[in-house]
Amino acid sequence: MDCIFCKIASGEIPSKKVYEDDRVCAFCDLDPQAPVHVLIIPKKHISSIMELDEENADVVSHVFLVAKRLAGELGLEKGFRIVSNCGEDGGQSVLHLHFHLLGGRSMKWPPG
Ligand code: 5GP
Ligand code: ZN
């Protein structure tokens, strides 16, 4: 499958990985929107939130536990934001489920 994030997960495309285990990996975004901008992805290909079901959704809670751990390790004690863009209106540009962990600055609300 021609998926950038599958290739990053397998190491075929290089990335700056900050965490990896058997189910997920986390790496720095190529175009950071905050001082800390990490993408956390399931290693197994899931296109988006819309592809989640009872069989594969457990990985999402694991992603959030990894995000919590990374927030501690990356100095985000003042807070952070987790975003998963879904579909065209959501602004999803890579069709492999991913969670942006953003921090190191004050976030605005509402997002654009
Ligand atoms: P989306 O727009 O789908 O929510 O987020 C995709 C993110 O992936 C963007 O923030 C973009 O900068 C990042 N990205 C796209 N291609 C690559 C890549 O090859 N390597 C890394 N590290 N990030 C990428
Ligand atoms: Zn993929």
Side-chain angles (χ1 to χ4, degrees), residues 45-91:
H45 183 88
I46 299 170
S47 307
S48 77
I49 290 170
M50 293 306 287
E51 296 295 318
L52 288 170
D53 57 33
E54 294 297 335
E55 304 299 316
N56 64 15
D58 282 0
V59 73
V60 176
S61 60
H62 185 55
V63 163
F64 274 74
L65 289 176
V66 169
K68 175 186 164 183
R69 171 186 170 146
L70 286 174
E73 289 177 6
L74 299 174
L76 305 183
E77 290 81 10
K78 285 180 76 182
F80 55 86
R81 182 171 291 174
I82 295 173
V83 173
S84 185
N85 298 321
C86 183
E88 190 182 345
D89 277 2

Side-chain angles (χ1 to χ4, degrees), residues 4-5 8 13 15 27-31 37 39 85 91-94 98 100:
I4 286 178
F5 286 181
I8 285 177
I13 290 178
S15 68
F27 52 94
C28 297
D29 197 292
L30 207 55
D31 180 23
H37 186 170
L39 299 171
N85 298 321
Q92 184 177 8
S93 61
V94 176
H98 54 281
H100 299 256

Side-chain angles (χ1 to χ4, degrees), residues 32-38 74-76 101-105 107:
Q33 302 301 312
V36 173
H37 186 170
V38 167
L74 299 174
L76 305 183
L101 171 63
L102 297 146
R105 67 168 169 81
M107 298 294 157

